Amino acid sequence: MATPTGWASLCDKFRSSLSLSTVESKKDPENEPYRSKYSARELLEEIRQLLGSEEAGEAEGDEAAARLRAARLAVLEYELGVNHTDTQERSAGEEHLVKCIELLQRHRLSRDCVCLYIQAQNSLGILWSERDDIKTAQTYLESAEVLYNQYMKENGNPPLDPNEHFMAEEERLTDQERSKRFEKAYTHTLYYLAQVYQHLEMIEKAAQYCHTTLKRQLEYSGYYPVEWALNAATLSQYYLTKQCFMESRHCLAAASVIFSQAGQAPSAEDNETEQDQQDLCQRKAEIARCWIKYCLNIVQGARKLLEDNIGELDPDRQSELKAQRKKEEDEKERGRKKAVLFGTSDLCDSILAMEEKVSCVFPLDFQEAREVFLVGQNYVNEAKDFFQVDGYVTDHIEIVQDHSALFKVLAFFEEDYERRCRMHKRRVDMLEPICADLNPQYYLLISRQLQFELADTYYEMMDLKVAIGNRLEELDSHTIKKINSLAQLAIKFYELFLDSLRNPDKVFPEKLEEDVLRPAMVAKFHIARLYGKLITSDGKKQLENMQTSLEYYTFLVDYCEKHPDAVQAIETELELSREMVGLLPTRMERLRVKLSSFT
Amino acid sequence: DCCIAEGDAIKVYVRVRPPSRGPGCDDGDQSLCLSVLSSNTLRLHSKPEPKIFTFDHVADVETTQESVFSSVAKSIVESCMSGYNGTIFCLNLLNIYFSLYTNESSLGPPDSDNFTHNLRGVIPRSFEYLFFLIEREKEKAGTGKSFLCKCSFIEIYNEHIFDLLDSASAGLLLREHIKKGVFVVGAVEQVLTSAAEAYQVLTMGWRNRRVASTSMNRESSRSHAVFTITVESMEKSNEIVNIRSSLLNLVDLAGSERQKDTHTEGVRLKEAGNINRSLSCLGQVITALVDVGNGKQRHICYRDSKLTFLLRDSLGGNAKTCIIANVHPGSRCFGETLSTLNFAQRAKLIKNKAIVNEDTQGNVS
């Protein structure tokens, strides 16, 4: 072994190299981004040379000494490997890292080596992914995962941190700190694996690894609360797309709880700027938006289950599902245990309390749907507080669209047609002013969505008024006026939508782009039907309406003749249009005859 | 039919630059890693199998600046005059603004008198053409029509926005206005009256950019730069005032940072950085998982990158967009070339899907 002073200076060098590559390198000038890394590399190579030459003589040491020497050299190889990869010299980086692993191979399950071994495998995983070879990366990372589990099973004592190999006895870390660092290295393994699985399109496994990573971050307090909350909220959206409402709600509740803790804690650096405050408000609003989607999805999912073939609530299905739910309630507890829960007891209690505010099973009647709706509406208001139209146009409108969607799906559960109609009126009231203000040159997509949704809403309101009218003995003039004006408004917005497809010279495209084909055809089809529904006692006017209706039906039929690839997208509409194109001329002829016989 | 559809897709133009020039590629090794097969295909000599790439246009080393301009950028400038927003993305073309041949190793632009040089790049040519078209319009319409051109020049570096026309400013914000679309709060806007003036503003702003050198790359741009010209026309006829405005964005995409952009990611993993720091990219991983969800309502907490947000209109909808990518044929540049070609190929697929929420429930009855 080197002289005490020699060893101390070696350790000093090592420490400087670490500080160069982790601290100093962040301050490097922009035109020389790797200056400190290059200096750190020089120091490491120097240490390796000193270490190599000094100990070459005493090669016949005992097992412990050999292991110590191997570990020290491996630390240097590891640092050199990371250094080279950081500075875009991958091949050299790989050489060093592989050498590190070779040196440790025999001792990888020992307390002084296991942590370094896992870190080296992590780095090799990263390196191979940078070479676009995700399979090789996977091999390294999975073997790190296996090693961790094996070590924890067979030994389990907090292992040494690699840097301790270059520390004096009195500087050594506490077991608590060792364990923290070791667990962090393993958390990184899981985090990289989550990405590997994502790239390999093993989505479910990737999500599971993300979930576990989040869980471990909480356990070992290795997280920024705001960031953690956002990640959990995002993960909830994954579960939403899989219709796993219990998991989704758990993630959201955890996000809200952790986020509220972040708001309370005094900020780490006390120079909190206005910008930071703003950011915090934005994050809060983002989480609220995830909640909105949760509420929306669960009610929409329920609607899907409950509706009959014409889109109305099916009472038989409803009672069937209610009975089924009662049975499942008993099994609920068991299901809960299977999910991965966040946090330890205290935290878990707060999260569970948060969860109680909204159900995670499908609402089956108006009362239940309304409860979810109200929670969603609260989050709409919270989100709108931050995402105001002035400055956040797109976000603001998206939230309004969600609000409208909440009303729409709630209306499905409402039995009273008048009240249902009023809900749709609420939608119109929130959408119409924005649609009028929005400049389609910059918000074409969103402006089309609004036009289409408004048209559809008016269409739906007209249908409701017709249904209400049909219950009366005779249509009164007020109802007729209402039906006609709703139909005209629906036509107006469908036409606005269709106009948005025209080029700057106002010409309608010969061939529609794939992404607007179906909506454009549906708009034409609906306009045709709307003209058919307009009520008038004036025979001439009626004939005109029928003529217009025929023109729109004909458009669909002609278009599909010219572009047969469009047929698939609008099969039902096309069939009905063909039928109408066949029927209407006869009907019109009959009307003409009738009209002429009166004059 | 296919031609009409293609009119709206993003056009990708790949240009092979002369060998033995350019950063990191100029030491001795003259062997080539690619060959141009035709005017729209090239072969990359990758192992074990060579790879064929197809683009809208592939230009070999002999191509002139004029031909690059007229086959790709010209039509974008024209549609800008007829009311479309237009965007030209430049990849690996540190010198696209200027000459490709004469200044390759210098960080800055040449002096502004080089503006008339016949090796000048696509951007100065676009300036000239734009002002040529404006003058022509004015002559045709007489006093009834007037134009106002303004420009701004910003840089996106590490997801922060800087104003290149005001070196003192820092950290600008992106916001949306219901009438005017996305804008950078507080960015300096300069009125332009001629192409020469535009070039001068560009030259001035260019000096404020962030460039870096490493032992591998002698120079590489670390930031995206966006030069935006707003063209506003006002026409008076019979007391009716008709105002029309459109944008022309000229975007220089960062080299080494490019991979970090949303939508352009290869398969590499995101690193955790220092062992003691949090895993700040986990969100992006989860976001990718959520994106796979089909048709379900969901909200993603993480925004697109600043660049995609700023240029959202350029990636589909009512905008005309093209990409000019520059590759170096030398073997030593194989990696960079491959990633550029892959990027260019993926870019063709980028498009904002115009999803119109359409729900026919109960309507067809």
Side-chain angles (χ1 to χ4, degrees), chain A residues 210-216 218-219 228 231-233 235 239 247 250-255 258 339-345 347-349 351-352:
Chain A
C210 284
H211 199 129
T212 314
T213 305
L214 283 174
K215 193 172 140 69
R216 291 179 57 89
L218 269 193
E219 269 166 48
W228 193 94
N231 288 340
L235 185 61
Y239 287 122
E247 287 81 356
H250 187 66
C251 287
L252 278 169
I258 297 291
V340 193
L341 292 182
F342 288 124
T344 42
S345 57
L347 197 56
C348 215
D349 287 347
I351 294 173
L352 293 180

Side-chain angles (χ1 to χ4, degrees), chain A residues 22 30-34 38 88-90 125-126 129-130 132 134 141 184-185 187-188 191-192 194-196 198-199 203 206-207 210 213-214 217 222-224 227 230-231 233-235 237-238 240-241 243 275 278 282 286 289-290 293 296-297 300 303 307 310-311 389 391-395 402 408 436-445 448-449 452 456 459 463 497 503-504 511 513 515-516 518-519 522 525-526 529 563 572-573 576, chain B residues 1-2 4-9 82-85 107 157-158 171 173-183 209-218 222 230 244-247 256 265-294 296-303 309 312-313 316-318 338 342 351-365:
Chain A
T22 57
E30 269 153 18
N31 56 358
E32 275 180 88
Y34 299 141
Y38 294 149
Q88 297 174 12
E89 292 165 46
R90 266 181 228 145
I126 288 291
S129 86
E130 280 174 7
D132 285 2
I134 217 78
L141 293 166
K184 252 180 194 149
T187 304
H188 285 179
Y191 163 67
Y192 297 138
Q195 299 182 57
V196 162
Q198 175 223 318
H199 287 307
I203 300 301
C210 284
T213 305
L214 283 174
Q217 282 183 288
Y223 66 99
Y224 299 124
E227 194 182 273
L230 277 193
N231 288 340
T234 311
L235 185 61
Q237 304 298 292
Y238 162 79
L240 263 193
T241 61
Q243 300 247 354
Q275 180 59 41
Q278 270 244 321
Q282 176 166 348
E286 302 269 14
R289 291 181 69 179
C290 290
K293 294 295 187 190
L296 196 52
N297 272 282
Q300 282 175 340
R303 175 192 167 154
E307 72 193 353
I310 57 157
V389 75
Y392 299 92
V393 179
T394 311
D395 292 287
D402 281 347
K408 181 176 176 170
D437 278 347
L438 200 62
N439 180 351
Q441 192 183 2
Y442 297 106
Y443 302 97
L444 179 67
L445 172 63
R448 280 177 184 166
Q449 285 176 349
F452 203 94
D456 260 1
Y459 191 101
D463 265 350
F497 169 73
N503 73 10
K511 184 171 166 62
E513 295 257 350
D515 41 13
V516 292
R518 171 144 180 95
V522 169
F525 179 73
H526 281 186
R529 298 192 71 226
H563 309 282
T572 330
E573 288 81 3
L576 282 160
Chain B
D1 282 330
C2 73
I4 297 165
E6 214 180 19
D8 286 339
S82 56
Y84 283 103
N85 296 330
L107 293 179
Y157 177 69
N158 269 342
L173 297 174
L174 277 180
R175 288 283 179 268
E176 290 176 307
H177 185 275
I178 198 160
K179 291 280 182 224
K180 296 180 202 137
V182 182
F183 66 102
R209 287 199 66 183
R210 285 159 181 76
V211 239
S213 69
T214 68
S215 71
M216 284 305 282
N217 292 340
R218 198 163 56 236
R222 282 298 187 94
T230 318
R244 201 158 166 176
S245 99
S246 51
L247 300 179
S256 52
E265 196 79 36
V267 291
R268 58 186 56 188
L269 308 182
K270 299 206 163 72
E271 274 186 80
N274 190 306
I275 194 84
N276 288 323
R277 277 181 45 213
S278 82
L279 315 173
S280 52
C281 289
L282 183 63
Q284 293 177 38
V285 182
I286 303 174
T287 302
L289 302 180
V290 183
D291 269 339
V292 178
N294 30 8
K296 289 275 186 314
Q297 295 259 359
R298 79 268 184 288
H299 175 70
I300 307 284
C301 293
Y302 295 89
R303 283 201 164 287
F309 186 71
R312 218 167 22 185
D313 291 316
N318 49 353
L338 177 65
N342 278 333
K351 201 164 180 240
N352 277 344
K353 271 278 174 204
I355 299 155
V356 173
N357 309 313
E358 177 257 327
D359 177 11
T360 51
Q361 218 72 61
N363 284 337
V364 183
S365 51

